[in-house]
Amino acid sequence: GAGVSQSPSNKVTEKGKDVELRCDPISGHTALYWYRQSLGQGLEFLIYFQGNSAPDKSGLPSDRFSAERTGGSVSTLTIQRTQQEDSAVYLCASSRITDTQYFGPGTRLTVL
Amino acid sequence: RKEVEQDPGPFNVPEGATVAFNCTYSNSASQSFFWYRQDCRKEPKLLMSVYSSGNEDGRFTAQLNRASQYISLLIRDSKLSDSATYLCVVTGSSGTYKYIFGTGTRLKVLA
């Protein structure tokens, strides 16, 4: 079946611009997660959704970062006023409740 | 101290060799443990879950030692296709949803 999909695959933006990253989870997966992987760093947890609510947003690095999920499916991660340190690969994962997480291919964000 | 620590490598081994990776974690309340594999510029993919009793999947064996808070992965008869970064994953104490990743151990299998 179809896996987790993310768009765009690559995004280049200028410092100060807003960006939106999209995640389509595996059908039937109620849990959705966002992670960030910077060069040479491990994956860093950002936020967890169960259905449309986010019981854990503790990993969002600043108030410039926000995420929402609608219809228990698609999620959007928004970064406002991007900074160069936001450059990273943003990975989305989904799972059944809190089962094994399956990752999408990621969005590579470059802030110039 | 990092919550999950791994030797970054690289481990360069010849084809057919046996190689082992270890990973230590700091939170004794962690509940679930995994090894993921990540190829260059690709997403992480689950290799195997890790259980206290140990588990084996073909050439791969994973072990968990809760008392010493470490996880191991053994790869026997290494193949060229095993070349990748191996990520140790531990769940947080707040729930099994929160994956905490090590920075990964890079393996290169040489012909």
Side-chain angles (χ1 to χ4, degrees):
Chain A
V4 178
S5 61
Q6 291 186 245
S7 61
S9 54
N10 280 284
K11 177 72 177 178
V12 180
T13 190
E14 293 178 349
K15 179 180 170 182
K17 301 276 190 186
D18 297 353
V19 295
E20 282 190 354
L21 312 179
R22 177 187 167 107
C23 172
D24 269 286
I26 293 171
S27 178
H29 281 192
T30 57
L32 186 147
Y33 318 79
W34 283 98
Y35 294 86
R36 176 169 76 171
Q37 187 171 30
S38 304
L39 193 61
Q41 303 293 315
L43 275 80
E44 173 190 12
F45 168 86
L46 298 179
I47 187 169
Y48 155 61
F49 285 93
Q50 184 57 252
N52 291 335
S53 62
D56 189 344
K57 307 178 185 180
S58 62
L60 294 177
S62 74
D63 58 8
R64 296 185 296 105
F65 287 73
S66 63
E68 64 174 15
R69 189 178 184 196
T70 54
S73 182
V74 172
S75 177
T76 303
L77 177 69
T78 301
I79 309 173
Q80 295 179 308
R81 306 180 302 282
T82 51
Q83 304 293 313
Q84 287 183 331
E85 62 263 27
D86 299 335
S87 296
V89 177
Y90 289 81
L91 289 153
C92 175
S94 72
S95 72
R96 295 183 191 281
I97 310 179
T98 53
D99 202 351
T100 304
Q101 297 180 23
Y102 295 89
F103 285 81
T107 294
R108 186 172 298 274
L109 175 66
T110 304
V111 182
L112 301 176
Chain B
R1 183 187 170 189
K2 289 182 180 177
E3 290 186 83
V4 180
E5 296 207 55
Q6 294 183 253
D7 180 344
F11 285 61
N12 295 322
V13 303
E15 262 189 300
T18 295
V19 62
F21 309 135
N22 284 334
C23 163
T24 58
Y25 61 96
S26 60
N27 189 343
S28 60
S30 294
Q31 299 177 41
S32 299
F33 310 87
F34 307 91
W35 283 101
Y36 274 72
R37 169 192 170 131
Q38 186 172 29
D39 292 287
C40 190
R41 300 177 78 89
K42 298 286 188 182
E43 72 272 23
K45 292 186 177 176
L46 178 69
L47 181 64
M48 57 199 308
S49 301
V50 188
Y51 306 115
S52 297
S53 54
N55 48 307
E56 188 173 313
D57 182 2
R59 298 182 292 107
F60 298 84
T61 301
Q63 299 249 326
L64 165 64
N65 185 317
R66 283 190 185 269
S68 301
Q69 293 179 214
Y70 80 80
I71 305 153
S72 64
L73 177 68
L74 182 78
I75 306 175
R76 290 181 298 276
D77 188 23
S78 300
K79 310 291 184 194
L80 294 174
S81 57
D82 294 334
S83 297
T85 297
Y86 290 83
L87 302 171
C88 174
V89 180
V90 170
T91 58
S93 56
S94 54
T96 56
Y97 65 85
K98 190 170 184 177
Y99 279 16
I100 301 166
F101 284 81
T103 51
T105 297
R106 192 168 163 211
L107 171 66
K108 189 166 184 180
V109 181
L110 307 171

